[in-house]
Amino acid sequence: MTDTLAGRPPIAQERRIVTAIPGPRSQELEARRRAVVPVGVSSALPVYIDRAHGAIVVDVDGNQFIDLGAGIGVTTIGHTDAAVVAAASSQLADFTHVMFTVTPYESYVRVAELLAEHTPGDFAKKTVLLNSGAEAVENAVKIARKHTGRPGVAVLEHSYHGRTNLTMAMTHKAMPYKLGFGPFAPDVHHAPGSYPFRDGLSGAEAAARTIAWLEKTVGAADLACLVVEPIQGEGGFVVPADGYLLALQEWCAATGVVFVADEIQSGMARTGRYFASEHSGLVPDLVLSAKGIAGGLPLAAVTGRAEIMDASHPGGLGGTFAGNPVAAAAAVAVFDSIRSRGLLAEGARIEGVLRPALLGLQRRFDRVGDVRGLGAMLAMELVTPGTFEPDPAAVTAVTAYAAQHGVLLLNAGTWGNVIRFLPSLAIGDELLIEAVGVIEEALAAL
Ligand code: PLZ
């Protein structure tokens, strides 16, 4: 554990609640926030964060939470990871911005090399860097349209792809993401997907349904791309049935539809591989990264087959802050850390501790309908006992109880009835077990 730059004492990797939650200082800040931040920007837990390290966040009242969310899967290698702090700090002192499309710099190129090396597929690849996940999705669509000369965009039910106009159109859930924010970008088609717990279909059956739906209602010849999350994130950590995504990829290859894997939440060592696509043998035409790629700094990427990526004319892709040098330096440090510290093994370690613990909860509580996920991306879906009826109220109660007891827990799912676990890879086994113990108490108290 290193000291922070400010020379403050290191943060012990332990849970500690010393005030009511939220504490008095957080409540003061919340009152100031209400005056100046619109209600549209809400916070899952209004404790104001002072600092963080590893798998612990510390609020302004001195409470320490076990962080099972990592800022929605962003600080994947841990909060204030020493290598990331050092790389970003050093770049900060050298230069913070020149704009790659005005005068370039090495770290952008290095990130592109690393992504070419670590995304699936043994062929020439190129990368454009952006600021946010939504912007990566937008650029993938631009590139696929330019490459194919076709307009249509296909996505799956329960998808989440962002909050910009085009990506709202590509996101499945109306509340809170879309309601009243339309009209949306046209020519976006939501096909039925694969949700084994709810549809009971095999991968082959679900793929046949998706493909038939797309062929009947759109037609492959009008589709530029099919964008899928290898594991659906906001949709509830839905892992499609075996063979489903591979069948879609084959259909795309046969019909000239660009197959895009949105790995913004599932990528970058989250599931024990660099990209979740690898678990199912996928070789997407384009892979989207963001979130965990730069250790908490804003950076996103579209990486893909060189001939597709090169479809755009010079000057067609870019953005002022896109590929910011501080964020790019942090991304290089994240890649180096994953390799030099063997962090790909951590996803399997976390799954090895967490999955049996969650299955234990499922045996004890019949409202735990499903336990699923991969690596450090696991979830449980809560239902009314003995049914498939979603129980979002139970999730709200469990996450509220957990917060009061020092565990930061996120929900997910189209019905809001999924508890998701996406801790940083830095979390120790003891903290994981302790956190599950708190969740067990919460379930027992329902
Ligand atoms: N694609 C698969 O998970 C972001 C959003 C949380 P941005 N998911 C968390 C929220 O409430 O805004 C996400 C994702 C997948 C795209 C995105 C969008 O990434 O960086 O938030 O734009």
Side-chain angles (χ1 to χ4, degrees):
M1 303 294 121
T2 51
D3 285 359
T4 62
L5 278 184
R8 299 167 73 186
I11 297 170
Q13 294 296 294
E14 63 189 33
R15 175 171 68 110
R16 187 164 63 212
I17 295 301
V18 295
T19 70
I21 302 298
R25 186 83 189 99
S26 278
Q27 290 186 36
E28 276 170 43
L29 290 167
E30 186 66 7
R32 279 170 55 194
R33 170 232 188 103
R34 278 196 210 106
V36 290
V37 179
V39 292
V41 185
S42 58
S43 298
L45 176 61
V47 296
Y48 284 71
I49 300 308
D50 178 30
R51 50 196 198 119
H53 187 71
I56 295 289
V57 294
V58 187
D59 75 9
V60 289
D61 292 290
N63 298 298
Q64 299 202 171
F65 296 82
I66 301 174
D67 184 3
L68 295 183
I72 315 200
V74 171
T75 52
T76 305
I77 71 166
H79 289 286
T80 55
D81 178 84
V84 171
V85 172
S89 307
S90 146
Q91 180 59 46
L92 205 51
D94 287 342
F95 65 97
T96 55
H97 178 81
V98 286
M99 189 155 166
F100 192 77
T101 52
V102 175
T103 48
Y105 39 88
E106 182 180 354
S107 54
Y108 188 118
V109 178
R110 185 68 194 130
V111 174
E113 288 169 347
L114 287 162
L115 282 165
E117 187 183 333
H118 293 295
T119 48
D122 194 12
F123 40 77
K125 294 174 206 150
K126 295 194 174 182
T127 288
V128 56
L129 296 182
L130 296 314
N131 300 293
S132 68
E135 215 186 339
V137 176
E138 293 255 359
N139 277 272
V141 171
K142 276 169 70 169
I143 291 163
R145 282 177 168 158
K146 188 86 177 177
H147 170 73
T148 58
R150 305 172 183 177
V153 175
V155 295
L156 300 176
E157 286 173 358
H158 308 292
S159 58
Y160 182 92
H161 297 294
R163 296 177 181 268
T164 59
N165 188 263
L166 173 60
T167 59
M168 273 193 292
M170 294 169 67
T171 288
H172 192 64
K173 190 173 169 179
M175 266 306 271
Y177 307 120
K178 302 166 75 163
L179 203 78
F181 295 142
F184 303 111
D187 233 332
V188 176
H189 308 277
H190 292 246
S194 169
Y195 194 149
F197 174 63
R198 294 195 167 272
D199 63 29
L201 299 178
S202 71
E205 291 163 345
R209 182 176 70 168
T210 304
I211 291 166
W213 190 94
L214 288 171
E215 284 180 340
K216 294 288 170 235
T217 63
V218 197
D222 264 348
L223 277 179
C225 56
L226 168 64
V227 185
V228 303
E229 296 161 83
I231 300 175
Q232 292 184 314
E234 302 306 304
F237 285 20
V238 181
V239 184
D242 280 349
Y244 173 75
L245 291 173
L246 211 48
L248 294 191
Q249 180 183 295
E250 279 163 13
W251 177 76
C252 284
T255 53
V257 175
V258 176
F259 184 76
V260 183
D262 178 344
E263 293 252 21
I264 287 164
Q265 194 155 163
S266 59
M268 216 48 197
R270 167 75 31 211
T271 65
R273 304 279 180 90
Y274 277 97
F275 293 93
S277 289
E278 296 168 55
H279 293 282
S280 34
L282 294 178
V283 182
D285 297 314
L286 305 180
V287 174
L288 312 183
S289 346
K291 289 192 184 286
I293 189 177
L297 282 100
L299 190 72
V302 182
T303 302
R305 291 181 186 276
E307 67 275 18
I308 299 178
M309 294 299 295
D310 273 335
S312 172
H313 49 272
L317 306 173
T320 300
F321 291 117
N324 170 271
V326 181
V332 173
V334 170
F335 270 108
D336 286 350
S337 298
I338 292 172
R339 191 189 45 235
S340 65
R341 283 145 60 189
L343 297 183
L344 288 183
E346 298 304 300
R349 172 186 62 83
I350 288 168
E351 180 174 350
V353 173
L354 200 48
R355 184 187 292 279
L358 299 182
L359 289 171
L361 295 182
Q362 186 179 31
R363 279 192 296 277
R364 178 167 171 204
F365 301 103
D366 49 7
R367 61 177 80 242
V368 180
D370 195 23
V371 171
R372 57 179 180 247
L374 268 174
M377 186 172 187
L378 298 178
M380 44 186 198
E381 176 158 357
L382 301 192
V383 292
T384 308
T387 74
F388 287 93
E389 196 56 43
D391 191 354
V395 169
T396 305
V398 170
T399 52
Y401 181 99
Q404 291 300 321
H405 293 81
V407 177
L408 185 45
L409 199 59
L410 299 175
N411 67 7
T414 296
W415 298 275
N417 67 319
V418 175
I419 296 176
R420 60 174 143 175
F421 300 83
L422 59 170
S424 89
L425 302 176
I427 195 167
D429 294 355
E430 309 71 30
L431 282 186
L432 273 174
I433 290 163
E434 188 178 326
V436 173
V438 170
I439 293 159
E440 180 162 20
E441 287 166 26
L443 285 164
L446 281 174

